[in-house]
Amino acid sequence: MKTASLFIIFMIMALPCHGVSLVELQQSAMANRNIIEQYEAELDKSSQDVTIAGSRFLPTVGASYTVNSLNDSNRLGEVRENSVAQGLITWNLFSGFYDYYNLRSARLLEKAQNYKLQAIKQDIQMRVALRYVDIFSRQSSLLVARESHATLQRLHEDARNRYSVGLIEKNQLLRFQVDLDNAVIMVKKAEAELAKSLQRLIFETQQQLVLAELDFAEFDQLPHLADKTSYQADMLAQRSEIKTLEELAKAVTLEVKAAQGERYPQLDISGSYRKYEDDYISGDGTYYDEELRAQAVVSFTLFDGFARQAKISRARSEKKSVSAQLRELKKGLETELTNLFFDYEVSVATAAVAQTSIDQAKENLRITRLKYQEGLEKESDLLDAIANLARAKNSYVAARTEVFANYFKITRAVEEF
């Protein structure tokens, strides 16, 4: 059987009745994971912060009703039992640009939080993809283990027959038995690893799955990538973590300006209506007095205990910190992308070599088996040939797994999920 047949067998084994694709699994994960809800709540909090910051540009309307009880009427004409109803509208017209820069900063922080949400979605989709390819790998490894077990079982039966007629000695039969027992253990381990991989995918998607439902059509062919330069440009332009820090840097710059704006005076205007009446209940008195008042108030803080200068210094330090984080992040991501391309290229080359190794191992096993049957090879040589074929197949599975794992990591690096 040619090398391509091995992959076809893997595909046949994975064929589902109702296939669930990788995209569907990723969508399920984003719909069901609590961490998405957590980041969406944080984004909603940022939206409310924008509303709070914008409220400073709107007037404030209030009303009050006060009931007074004195021990006696006073000389100012206020009777012992009276009430005051009041309505008040205040509006800040100028606050040294503090409100203006604070609102712009809140909007930028909201954008930064949205980029954080996008980043966590990309991370979840990458983890689902890696769990998905891990299941494919474990299932392929299980098939290799079962094939080796079946081969050893046939050879063991043949050795028992040969032993029964005196063609081989008992110690030669026992060598087949030892390798057969080990093959049984390898099958059980492969089954356990496959079951654990499925549980990890169930956790990532928060969806109940069975192996028969999974559609591994994405692994029909090895993926191909463009040159690293284009991916690096896309990563620097699209990566949510970079955009998050860029928006934070802009927001911190505005916070510096907002803190500086506190040096200027504030201008507030207000209008009020006040009604005094000589009874606890408005409308029941015999005397009342009404007043309409308009006010313009200019206030200026002469000294605030150095708080303003400390706010400015803190905002400037935060700006330096965010800028340093941004530079460090870009360098780190560029290095990570370069290493991912190295790993991808190595895994593609390894997969090509592994394909050739399988053909060679199969031919070696065929020749060794013929020589063994003619008494020209020992049973240890035959068992070594079987083990070599299993190793070649497992190397092929591991290489393909690495190709797809690196491909998904590069896809995450440029946020193309």
Side-chain angles (χ1 to χ4, degrees):
M1 184 166 49
K2 299 297 183 182
T3 305
S5 300
L6 175 63
F7 183 66
I8 293 174
I9 292 174
F10 292 166
M11 290 294 97
I12 293 174
M13 182 178 177
L15 285 176
C17 299
H18 302 285
V20 179
S21 68
L22 174 58
V23 173
E24 292 173 323
L25 292 171
Q26 291 170 326
Q27 291 173 346
S28 175
M30 289 189 291
N32 298 328
R33 290 296 298 276
N34 292 327
I35 193 171
I36 294 291
E37 184 178 350
Q38 172 190 337
Y39 275 81
E40 288 176 341
E42 292 296 329
L43 177 58
D44 183 67
K45 285 168 57 179
S46 296
S47 300
Q48 301 308 319
D49 287 338
V50 173
T51 302
I52 293 170
S55 68
R56 298 270 297 180
F57 292 89
L58 301 175
T60 302
V61 180
S64 65
Y65 186 80
T66 305
V67 175
N68 299 304
S69 179
L70 308 179
N71 61 345
D72 198 2
S73 300
N74 59 34
R75 289 178 296 177
L76 298 177
E78 187 176 3
V79 299
R80 191 174 67 85
E81 297 178 356
N82 68 83
S83 62
V84 178
Q86 186 174 16
L88 179 66
I89 299 176
T90 61
W91 196 2
N92 174 256
L93 296 182
F94 182 73
S95 60
F97 300 107
Y98 172 84
D99 294 336
Y100 170 72
Y101 290 122
N102 192 47
L103 176 59
R104 288 182 58 188
S105 175
R107 287 171 175 167
L108 291 173
L109 291 174
E110 180 186 22
K111 291 179 65 177
Q113 192 62 47
N114 185 58
Y115 286 131
K116 287 183 180 181
L117 175 60
Q118 298 306 315
I120 198 64
K121 287 182 177 180
Q122 287 288 317
D123 286 338
I124 288 176
Q125 290 179 91
M126 181 189 70
R127 288 198 294 270
V128 170
L130 293 178
R131 298 302 187 195
Y132 187 63
V133 73
D134 185 60
I135 289 179
F136 177 74
S137 173
R138 300 295 183 183
Q139 190 163 263
S140 301
S141 297
L142 175 59
L143 178 58
V144 172
R146 286 174 174 170
E147 286 179 344
S148 296
H149 175 263
T151 300
L152 287 168
Q153 198 167 33
R154 288 193 298 270
L155 290 175
H156 181 259
E157 289 296 326
D158 179 67
R160 288 180 60 186
N161 294 331
R162 291 162 69 87
Y163 171 71
S164 64
V165 296
L167 294 178
I168 62 173
E169 297 180 358
K170 186 172 184 180
N171 66 323
Q172 294 174 307
L173 174 62
L174 292 177
R175 289 174 183 172
F176 285 104
Q177 182 65 54
V178 169
D179 277 37
L180 178 60
D181 292 342
N182 183 66
V184 173
I185 294 173
M186 296 304 295
V187 169
K188 291 185 178 299
K189 286 184 176 180
E191 290 173 343
E193 291 299 325
L194 178 58
K196 291 192 292 185
S197 293
L198 181 62
Q199 290 302 311
R200 295 186 187 103
L201 182 61
I202 290 174
F203 169 76
E204 292 292 346
T205 60
Q206 295 294 297
Q207 175 183 350
Q208 289 302 315
L209 300 167
V210 294
L211 285 174
E213 293 177 332
L214 300 181
D215 178 10
F216 295 108
E218 294 85 354
F219 304 135
D220 287 346
Q221 295 180 347
L222 290 179
H224 297 284
L225 298 176
D227 62 289
K228 187 190 73 174
T229 304
S230 62
Y231 278 90
Q232 181 170 308
D234 290 341
M235 179 185 68
L236 295 176
Q238 299 173 183
R239 189 74 181 234
S240 293
E241 290 89 339
I242 293 177
K243 290 185 176 181
T244 297
L245 288 179
E246 287 175 344
E247 296 302 323
L248 287 176
K250 295 176 185 177
V252 172
T253 300
L254 294 177
E255 287 178 5
V256 174
K257 294 182 178 181
Q260 291 172 337
E262 294 184 13
R263 296 172 176 172
Y264 299 95
Q266 294 191 39
L267 173 60
D268 296 274
I269 62 172
S270 65
S272 64
Y273 166 77
R274 181 176 183 275
K275 181 181 179 182
Y276 169 84
E277 195 162 352
D278 59 348
D279 196 278
Y280 290 147
I281 306 301
S282 180
D284 288 352
T286 58
Y287 169 80
Y288 70 90
D289 181 50
E290 295 179 309
E291 177 188 83
L292 289 172
R293 178 176 297 189
Q295 287 183 313
V297 180
V298 177
S299 59
F300 187 84
T301 302
L302 297 177
F303 180 71
D304 62 356
F306 305 107
R308 180 174 57 215
Q309 188 58 43
K311 291 178 183 178
I312 295 173
S313 299
R314 183 182 63 183
R316 286 174 176 169
S317 297
E318 181 66 18
K319 181 180 178 181
K320 290 181 181 179
S321 174
V322 173
S323 298
Q325 290 180 54
L326 181 58
R327 293 192 299 270
E328 187 75 12
L329 176 63
K330 287 182 178 180
K331 291 179 181 178
L333 291 176
E334 288 174 350
T335 301
E336 180 184 357
L337 183 64
T338 299
N339 290 338
L340 285 173
F341 265 88
F342 286 148
D343 293 338
Y344 172 79
E345 292 165 359
V346 170
S347 59
V348 169
T350 304
V353 172
Q355 285 182 320
T356 304
S357 297
I358 291 175
D359 289 335
Q360 294 172 344
K362 286 181 178 179
E363 181 64 13
N364 177 58
L365 176 58
R366 185 186 70 82
I367 295 172
T368 303
R369 181 178 292 175
L370 290 175
K371 288 185 175 182
Y372 172 75
Q373 291 172 349
E374 296 176 1
L376 300 176
E377 294 281 7
K378 295 182 292 185
E379 69 282 347
S380 59
D381 297 322
L382 181 58
L383 293 173
D384 287 342
I386 296 172
N388 287 336
L389 178 58
R391 279 195 296 269
K393 290 179 178 180
N394 282 321
S395 296
Y396 177 69
V397 170
R400 288 184 62 84
T401 301
E402 284 298 314
V403 171
F404 282 101
N406 288 315
Y407 171 74
F408 288 136
K409 290 176 183 178
I410 291 172
T411 302
R412 164 64 184 101
V414 296
E415 298 209 358
E416 290 188 351
F417 277 121

